[in-house]
DNA sequence: GTTCCGCATGAATCGATAG
DNA sequence: ACTATCGATTCATGCGGAA
């Protein structure tokens, strides 16, 4: 099949089925794939739900296409968590890991997203679920990684030093450590920063009315900074309300978003427009 | 085979091979199994290390015996983490989960132990590993669980209390209380407490006195409070330096410990003696 | 008695070197 | 080519000695 070159897809929300759109995208063309696909049996009212026991079978062909479109030195970050069913955790996620390895993916790491404010609730046999998996897959042992881009202030250093900062600086400092913005004092801190671990401690974003995005900007933002440079291409095959696109824009990366639900596509485009205006206003673009 | 009744094993450290000792323990006799088995290829200077690719095969017969000795309403908490090898996470842990389900275990939950102080190091392809799995298995859908026993202090009482602590102590206190650790937990009123999540945040106990236990007392302590009542029997088939026994004693539970290394057995017995003395001194036992 | 600083110590992992 | 061993890297913690 003759494929259109990649620049036809860049900075667009492609409204349609992943299984039809992905095959149109040329091979070895994106630097990072980061996504939070619909979880099994969740959000029934919005998506055509995928039963837990068919999840692997449904996702594997998509994973295979994703591997094709990813550059050899690129990364795939899959944010996912198995549901509990009949008093047990379902096994479709760990089965998926094994099957993706059979496809040729390397399972490099499992990052944990430790959710600061998790969904409330009480059950007799378990507590609130406060974490999700962020599975890191690659095509090769060697891949692009920019660890300095996500360094964080030292534990003790931060505590000691915060006392001497004004309230205003404190705010800036806080926002920096969470999302990576606020460059004012970043140089000043450089020597006193350390590398993070494989546990991300981030709050979920309270749903802004329309979309039920449990996927906070800070999450794709962290992986985009870690695995790409400015100008690189970030693909999210289940982009929902456009969170990954927003993160990409903020970081001067290019995005490709795929979304099947038209209402979500519209929502994403609205959010992106606002973000672009913000960038223009701040003289960024 | 004629088995001795369970009281012959209670409050003892049994020095020998798990595979020989477990079959002597009667069926349906312990309320909780909590353990941190030797990880694949780790602690080579101490244990005969189990290669990663033989790990499942090695552990499955043990898991089967554990299921036999566990009471029907009991729980099994397995603390484990896969290693990274050749740039990838190994799959033996997730394979083990699938195989244990085949044996009849229910995989109820995966708790995350978020380690505050993880092992240092820097690599081109990953960050420091700051978490471990605490896999919760049971025999039945219904099992014993005492959620109130691990509730976390919050509210005004805690705030008042915190005022009088130094900044540094406050940090420590908070990190402990986030996951429900901390010794004075019983002092809080019920209305000032909330249920924890499935993420436990606590430091490892490193370079402590004579023994260095990567398995901190607070970890078995939390699960013992959650899954047992006073007087119940707690089994640790890889008890090492006796951490699980210490936790059991502190909480007025009975322990059964198995350990293959004689030096560790001695160490465990020493620690237990000290703990018993402490309990006597405080008028507990 | 406190507080503070310096130091050794890990359930690690990768890349290079050696056989 | 494949395995075994070693050095380099890194940081929260608890201890001991000093002020």
């Amino acid at each position: 099949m003759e494929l259109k070159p990649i620049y036809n897809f860049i900075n667009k929300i492609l409204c349609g089925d992943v299984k039809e759109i992905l095959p149109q995208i040329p091979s070895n063309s994106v630097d990072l794939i980061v996504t939070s696909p619909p979880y099994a049996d969740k959000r029934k009212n919005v998506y055509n739900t995928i039963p837990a026991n068919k999840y692997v079978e449904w996702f594997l062909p998509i994973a295979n296409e994703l591997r094709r479109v990813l550059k050899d030195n690129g990364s795939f970050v899959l944010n996912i968590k198995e549901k509990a069913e009949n008093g047990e955790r379902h096994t479709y996620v760990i089965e998926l890991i094994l099957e993706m390895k059979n496809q040729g993916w390397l399972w490099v790491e499992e990052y944990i997203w430790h959710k600061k404010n998790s969904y409330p609730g009480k059950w007799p046999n378990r507590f609130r679920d406060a974490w999700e998996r962020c599975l890191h897959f690659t095509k090769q042992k060697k891949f692009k990684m920019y660890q300095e881009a996500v360094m964080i202030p030292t534990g003790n250093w931060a505590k000691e030093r915060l006392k001497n900062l004004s309230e205003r600086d404190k705010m800036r400092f806080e926002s920096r450590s969470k999302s990576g913005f606020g460059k004012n004092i970043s140089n000043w801190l450089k020597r006193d920063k350390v590398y993070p671990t494989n546990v991300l401690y981030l709050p979920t974003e309270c749903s802004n009315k329309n979309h039920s995005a449990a996927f906070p900007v800070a999450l794709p933002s962290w992986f985009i900074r870690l695995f790409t440079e400015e100008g690189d291409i970030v693909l999210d095959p289940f982009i929902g309300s456009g969170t990954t696109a927003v993160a990409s824009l903020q970081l001067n990366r290019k995005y490709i978003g795929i979304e099947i639900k038209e209402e979500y596509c519209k929502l994403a485009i609205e959010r992106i427009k606002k973000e672009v205006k913000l960038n223009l206003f701040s003289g960024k673009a």
Side-chain angles (χ1 to χ4, degrees), chain A:
Chain A
M1 181 163 50
E2 191 70 30
L3 297 181
K4 289 186 202 168
I6 189 68
Y7 59 76
N8 286 279
F9 301 93
I10 276 174
N11 287 349
K12 282 183 184 162
I13 299 295
L14 311 166
C15 204
D17 191 334
V18 192
K19 302 213 180 190
E20 289 165 17
I21 292 177
L22 269 185
Q24 302 173 30
I25 297 179
S27 303
N28 301 296
S29 55
V30 311
D31 297 281
L32 171 66
I33 300 164
V34 53
T35 195
S36 187
Y39 300 174
D41 291 335
K42 298 282 172 188
R43 297 198 269 181
K44 279 186 188 171
N45 46 339
V46 179
Y47 288 98
N48 296 331
T49 177
I50 302 108
N53 57 0
K54 302 255 179 166
Y55 201 87
V56 176
E57 179 187 327
W58 168 76
F59 194 82
L60 275 182
I62 299 169
N64 211 34
E65 275 298 291
L66 291 175
R67 204 162 65 87
R68 184 184 61 77
V69 303
L70 186 66
K71 286 185 191 168
D72 287 341
N73 63 358
S75 283
F76 174 22
V77 176
L78 179 61
N79 168 230
I80 197 167
K81 181 64 190 271
E82 54 271 57
K83 59 175 298 200
E85 191 177 89
N86 286 324
E88 275 191 281
R89 284 282 160 203
H90 210 285
T91 55
Y92 58 87
V93 173
I94 59 181
E95 285 166 32
L96 181 60
I97 295 172
L98 295 175
E99 290 296 334
M100 282 179 63
K101 271 180 65 79
N102 284 339
Q103 284 188 335
W105 286 103
L106 302 183
W107 180 34
V108 175
E109 181 58 305
E110 180 168 345
Y111 292 85
I112 294 293
W113 171 25
H114 179 179
K115 293 189 273 191
K116 223 172 213 163
N117 49 340
S118 58
Y119 200 84
K122 186 182 185 315
W123 301 269
N125 54 348
R126 66 186 68 250
F127 290 125
R128 289 178 305 148
D129 192 6
W131 66 277
E132 297 190 11
R133 306 177 196 278
C134 293
L135 302 167
H136 179 206
F137 297 96
T138 65
K139 294 172 77 168
Q140 303 174 157
K141 270 183 75 170
K142 298 229 175 185
F143 51 87
K144 299 206 295 184
M145 192 178 199
Y146 307 95
Q147 303 193 350
E148 288 71 23
V150 293
M151 288 183 86
I152 53 175
T154 318
N156 284 333
W157 180 88
K159 285 167 209 158
E160 295 299 321
R161 210 56 172 195
L162 271 174
K163 284 189 215 158
N164 303 328
L165 292 176
S166 70
E167 278 305 311
R168 194 187 189 126
D169 279 339
K170 228 181 258 189
M171 303 285 258
R172 259 185 259 163
F173 179 88
E174 289 265 12
S175 75
R176 212 208 101 70
S177 63
K178 272 173 202 144
S179 51
F181 302 116
K183 288 175 182 165
N184 310 0
I185 49 175
S186 66
N187 288 331
W188 195 39
L189 314 169
K190 214 160 215 167
R191 282 177 312 165
D192 301 290
K193 290 194 295 181
V194 298
Y195 294 101
T197 67
N198 58 358
V199 179
L200 285 70
Y201 189 51
L202 301 173
T204 57
E205 276 166 13
C206 297
S207 54
N208 294 342
K209 292 178 184 175
N210 293 331
H211 65 285
S212 61
F215 192 54
V217 181
L219 196 61
S221 180
W222 197 81
F223 289 109
I224 289 170
R225 277 179 286 140
L226 182 56
F227 293 125
T228 68
E229 299 171 282
E230 292 207 354
D232 279 0
I233 301 174
V234 180
L235 166 66
D236 186 341
F238 303 96
I239 202 163
S241 60
T243 306
T244 300
V246 169
S248 300
L249 283 167
Q250 289 176 350
L251 297 165
N252 287 323
R253 271 71 165 178
K254 301 179 182 107
Y255 65 87
I256 300 174
I258 304 175
E259 174 55 41
I260 193 164
K261 281 282 169 191
E262 210 167 325
E263 55 189 289
Y264 272 105
C265 287
K266 283 180 190 165
L267 197 53
I269 290 165
E270 281 309 308
R271 275 182 82 192
I272 289 164
K273 272 186 193 165
K274 276 184 200 157
E275 190 59 39
V276 169
K277 270 184 202 162
L278 269 178
N279 276 4
L280 282 171
F281 183 73
S282 67
K284 212 169 158 191

